[in-house]
């Protein structure tokens, strides 16, 4: 890697990540929300703007840019205006620790995955702010549902990661990728040891909980359109609405990236090595492939299953996922010490 | 500046850059978007009818007890992470200690369960 001075290096990293996040979110919007959902429902989806509607996300963005920005009477104006910013900046901050190659990471924090989960849960604050400040019954109910759901599923999400941390012996995401790349399966080290093989229970817990954290169907009660119009987003219009929308997909992108890093080996591809130019060049492409795989799975669930009831959601988290994740931690710990 | 502080400085710069980007986009939107105020536009949305009462109406938060349980288990998660990183060195001693800790907390969950806290009321 070239030796750059800190300000130059940071400026390049900021430019790259600020470009990658919206583009990544728009790719998810186009590929999964516009096209995959349409084809699963036997229709074509957008076809006019660009080849097979590829420019449709850009068109939507420009459309929202021209919309009037309405703040309802009686709303807490300052909090109302601030809430989408809290959500989207919390989402941006998750990307600081996701490695796209041996040297391609904004900041390789020692507490990597812990930081990512902590920052990721900040968006609950923005959701509560939005719901309360709107002075609208639908918004208030939606944000309370969102808060109840996000705290219930935060726990299995965090506890599912502990198994991976036990196996890798580090919380740094780069360290976890290297531990997987250097791992062996019963003495065979050809493909490393992606933790999905040994932590498949943790993987299942992580995927289910991230589905709930993203408030996607079957866990989309906070924005259930048939009951609450649009939940906490009901009163938002124009660009502030777009921030919530982009924030949702950017979070989906980030959680897919974290799942790919923790369980699928991240940027590592067997045979390409763990350092040097080749790994740095191929890393982002490999990671993108794994992200799309994870996102495909998440959105497949979203388009397939009907909505749960609020009490079923809480029961599922507290009576199933949390006990299972505690047992998973204990079993992983025993196996780690035994072997 | 140490590497440790520098890595967090980078995170802070990312936060600042994100704020500038988002604020810049909002500023751009302010230049472009129209503004044609009409009183009807600013009525809170309530499925098309005039809103009844205030938006900050009372509603029963049925899952506030879950929030208390959440605090308990979130603190547990914070304790588990450092243990998980050092398990290799702590070996059997650390394992037994943590299993005792997890069992005590699981008992708390079972107690709450038996008390009907997890039941939908």
């Amino acid at each position: 890697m070239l030796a750059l001075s800190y300000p130059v290096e940071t400026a390049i990293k900021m430019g790259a990540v600020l470009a990658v996040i919206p583009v990544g979110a728009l790719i998810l919007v186009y590929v999964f929300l516009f096209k995959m959902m349409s084809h699963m429902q036997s229709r074509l989806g957008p076809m006019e703007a660009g080849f097979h509607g590829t420019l449709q996300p850009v068109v939507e963005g420009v459309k929202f840019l021209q919309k009037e920005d309405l703040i309802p009477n009686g709303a807490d104006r300052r909090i109302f205006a601030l809430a989408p910013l809290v959500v989207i900046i919390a989402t941006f901050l998750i990307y600081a620790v996701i490695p796209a190659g041996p040297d391609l990471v904004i900041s390789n924090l020692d507490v990597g995955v812990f930081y990512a989960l902590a920052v990721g849960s900040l968006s609950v604050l923005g959701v509560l702010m939005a719901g309360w400040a709107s002075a609208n019954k639908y918004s208030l109910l939606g944000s309370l549902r969102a808060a109840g759901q996000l705290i219930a599923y935060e726990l299995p999400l965090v506890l599912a990661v502990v198994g991976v941390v036990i196996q890798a012996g580090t919380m740094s995401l780069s360290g976890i990728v290297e531990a997987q790349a250097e791992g062996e399966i019963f003495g065979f080290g050809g493909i490393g040891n992606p933790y999905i093989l040994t932590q498949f229970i943790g993987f299942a817990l992580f995927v289910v909980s991230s589905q709930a954290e993203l408030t996607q169907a079957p866990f989309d009660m906070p924005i259930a359109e048939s009951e609450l119009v649009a939940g906490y987003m009901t009163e938002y219009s124009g660009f502030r609405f777009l921030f919530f929308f982009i924030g949702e997909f950017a979070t989906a992108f980030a959680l897919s990236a974290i799942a790919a890093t923790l369980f699928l080996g991240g940027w590592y591809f067997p045979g390409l090595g763990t350092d040097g130019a080749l790994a740095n060049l191929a890393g982002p492409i490999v990671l993108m492939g794994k992200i799309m795989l994870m996102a495909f799975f998440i959105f497949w669930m979203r388009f397939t299953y009907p909505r749960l009831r609020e009490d079923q959601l809480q029961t599922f988290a507290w009576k199933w996922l949390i006990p299972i994740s505690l047992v998973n931690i204990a079993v992983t710990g025993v196996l780690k010490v035994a072997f | 500046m140490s590497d440790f502080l520098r890595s967090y400085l980078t995170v802070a710069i990312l936060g600042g850059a994100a704020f500038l980007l988002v604020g810049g986009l909002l500023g751009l939107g302010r230049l472009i978007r129209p503004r044609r105020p009409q009183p009807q536009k600013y009525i809170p949305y309530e499925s098309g009818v005039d809103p009844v009462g205030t938006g900050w109406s009372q509603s029963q938060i049925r899952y506030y007890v879950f929030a208390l349980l959440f605090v308990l288990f979130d603190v547990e998660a914070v304790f588990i992470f450092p243990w998980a990183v050092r398990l290799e060195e702590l070996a059997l001693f650390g394992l037994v200690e943590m299993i005792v800790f997890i069992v005590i907390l699981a008992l708390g969950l079972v107690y709450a369960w038996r008390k009907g806290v997890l039941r939908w009321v």
Side-chain angles (χ1 to χ4, degrees):
Chain A
M1 197 67 180
L2 295 170
L4 298 168
S5 69
Y6 177 73
V8 177
E9 192 188 324
T10 310
I12 294 173
K13 282 174 174 175
M14 294 307 145
V17 74
L18 292 184
V20 163
I21 297 169
V23 170
L26 288 181
I27 288 176
L28 290 193
V29 170
Y30 172 71
V31 174
F32 296 114
L33 186 70
F34 287 173
K35 280 301 182 183
M36 190 176 91
M37 181 169 78
S38 303
H39 285 276
M40 281 182 171
Q41 297 169 344
S42 302
R43 50 193 182 88
L44 287 174
M47 292 294 283
E48 294 298 326
F51 175 72
H52 277 254
T54 30
L55 295 177
Q56 191 67 31
V58 182
V59 175
E60 303 281 340
V62 175
K63 178 190 79 181
F64 278 114
L65 196 56
Q66 302 170 43
K67 293 268 184 187
E68 210 173 332
D69 185 32
L70 299 176
I71 300 182
N73 289 333
D76 191 335
R77 302 181 70 90
R78 202 170 295 164
I79 306 286
F80 185 88
L82 207 59
L85 273 70
V86 172
V87 171
I88 201 158
I89 289 174
T91 306
F92 270 73
L93 284 175
I94 303 176
Y95 287 83
V97 289
I98 297 173
D103 303 309
L104 305 177
V105 57
I106 301 288
S107 181
N108 184 14
L109 300 180
D110 288 335
V111 292
V113 65
F114 194 72
Y115 160 88
L117 295 169
V119 172
S121 57
L122 277 182
S123 59
V124 185
L125 277 181
V127 168
L128 269 176
M129 283 162 68
W132 182 254
S134 295
N136 180 312
K137 288 167 195 135
Y138 293 130
S139 304
L140 186 58
L141 286 174
S143 70
L144 289 176
R145 281 187 183 188
Q149 170 167 343
L150 294 178
I151 63 170
Y153 283 85
E154 188 69 27
L155 284 172
L157 190 75
V158 171
L159 294 177
V161 171
V162 173
V164 171
V165 175
I166 290 175
Q167 280 211 296
T170 173
M171 285 193 276
S172 150
L173 283 168
S174 301
I176 289 173
V177 172
E178 275 157 30
Q180 291 178 79
E182 288 156 9
E184 293 178 338
I185 306 164
F186 297 119
F188 171 68
I191 58 164
N193 179 17
Y195 287 149
I196 187 174
L197 298 176
T198 49
Q199 283 291 323
F200 51 90
I201 297 174
F203 177 72
L205 290 168
F206 191 90
V207 171
V208 172
S209 322
S210 42
Q211 191 88 359
E213 289 278 304
L214 294 167
T215 63
Q216 294 202 351
F219 305 107
D220 66 338
M221 293 71 111
I223 46 172
E225 65 273 14
S226 52
E227 304 162 21
L228 295 178
V229 189
Y232 55 88
M233 298 187 285
T234 303
E235 289 294 350
Y236 281 87
S237 59
F239 233 63
R240 294 185 202 280
F241 175 80
L242 187 68
F243 282 155
F244 279 123
F245 187 79
I246 289 290
E248 184 189 330
F249 282 84
T251 314
F253 196 72
L255 279 175
S256 304
I258 291 174
T261 306
L262 292 178
F263 296 101
L264 302 182
W267 46 261
Y268 175 72
F269 192 80
L272 294 183
T274 53
D275 52 5
L278 185 60
N280 271 319
L281 280 176
I285 302 165
V286 173
L287 183 68
M288 188 65 194
K290 290 175 177 173
I291 290 175
M292 292 306 268
L293 200 66
M294 285 303 309
F296 168 74
F297 192 73
I298 288 175
F299 283 93
W300 188 16
M301 293 293 123
R302 168 177 175 158
F303 302 142
T304 307
Y305 285 101
R307 189 176 301 140
L308 291 172
R309 254 186 3 239
E310 192 68 34
D311 61 325
Q312 292 171 331
L313 169 109
Q314 296 287 349
T315 307
F316 187 53
W318 289 97
K319 294 188 181 173
W320 291 98
L321 295 184
I322 291 175
I324 290 174
S325 54
L326 289 177
V327 171
N328 183 44
I329 290 173
V331 170
T332 311
V334 169
L335 290 177
K336 171 87 174 181
V337 171
F339 294 102
Chain B
M1 191 186 288
S2 68
D3 281 352
F4 177 77
L5 285 178
R6 180 160 281 188
S7 63
Y8 282 94
L9 175 69
T10 317
V11 172
I13 293 174
L14 176 65
F19 185 79
L20 284 182
L21 177 76
V22 173
L25 282 172
L26 276 178
L28 181 69
R30 181 173 290 241
L31 293 178
I32 293 176
R33 66 176 173 240
R35 184 176 147 74
R36 301 191 189 87
Q38 291 165 4
Q40 296 87 344
K41 283 183 182 172
Y42 300 99
I43 301 172
Y45 181 76
E46 211 165 296
S47 304
V49 297
D50 288 343
V52 180
T54 158
W56 288 305
S57 55
Q58 288 197 347
S59 55
Q60 188 187 1
I61 307 173
R62 290 169 186 270
Y63 28 81
Y64 74 97
V65 193
F66 292 115
L68 298 178
L69 271 181
F70 169 74
V71 174
L72 186 77
F73 277 88
D74 217 27
V75 172
E76 175 192 6
V78 171
F79 283 130
I80 285 180
F81 267 97
W83 165 81
V85 173
R86 306 300 293 175
L87 182 59
E88 192 106 49
E89 289 81 4
L90 296 174
L92 195 60
F93 167 72
L95 183 67
V96 172
E97 289 281 321
M98 187 48 75
I99 287 184
V100 169
F101 181 59
I102 291 177
V103 165
I104 291 174
L105 273 157
L107 280 179
L109 183 65
V110 172
Y111 177 73
W113 196 332
R114 291 280 297 157
K115 278 279 175 185
V117 172
L118 303 184
R119 201 181 57 227
W120 195 252
V121 284

